[in-house]
Amino acid sequence: MAPLFLDPGLFSRRVALDEPAIVPDGAGGGATQWQEVRELSVRIEPLSVAARERFDQREATVTHRVLLRATTAVERGMSFRIGGRRLLVLSVHDPDESGRYLVCRCEEER
């Protein structure tokens, strides 16, 4: 595969990288709270929208591709927070195995 060329100027969005933390809910279970790890500059590209009916309501699943400079901080299960929106990280990979960039496939939390 040919080396991937990305213009560093594409990473123009600032987002917060959050990791999940389970806190006791008082009933023997736990609730997920998000804790900010750091801020990153990224490029967000919408990929698809899938609509379906569930319990007599229409739901939509929106997926995105998030491109960023390579870092060991980003892992599957984390999320990117953009204002009031949250993109859950489903996968993380190095597109050309050069160690320069990461591509994350994400799903928008509703």
Side-chain angles (χ1 to χ4, degrees):
M1 176 179 203
L4 179 68
F5 175 75
L6 289 173
D7 178 5
L10 294 175
F11 305 126
S12 59
R13 280 303 278 277
R14 292 295 288 177
V15 299
L17 175 65
D18 294 342
E19 66 181 357
I22 307 299
V23 294
D25 65 1
T32 303
Q33 287 189 347
W34 294 95
Q35 297 177 342
E36 185 172 333
V37 175
R38 62 188 284 194
E39 280 195 2
L40 298 167
S41 294
V42 302
R43 174 174 176 81
I44 301 171
E45 299 173 348
L47 290 180
S48 67
V49 177
R52 67 180 180 147
E53 296 251 348
R54 183 175 177 202
F55 304 117
D56 294 330
Q57 293 184 3
R58 286 195 64 78
E59 287 186 350
T61 302
V62 182
T63 59
H64 301 272
R65 178 174 39 226
V66 178
L67 300 128
L68 64 148
R69 294 181 200 277
T71 176
T72 58
V74 180
E75 297 178 2
R76 185 175 179 261
M78 294 178 134
S79 71
F80 297 109
R81 182 171 30 91
I82 309 119
R85 298 169 53 206
R86 182 172 306 281
L87 303 179
L88 303 173
V89 179
L90 303 177
S91 67
V92 179
H93 74 280
D94 183 348
D96 61 359
E97 297 188 5
S98 66
R100 297 178 303 155
Y101 303 106
L102 292 178
V103 176
C104 300
R105 187 165 182 98
C106 301
E107 185 174 289
E108 190 164 352
E109 183 180 68
R110 294 282 173 183

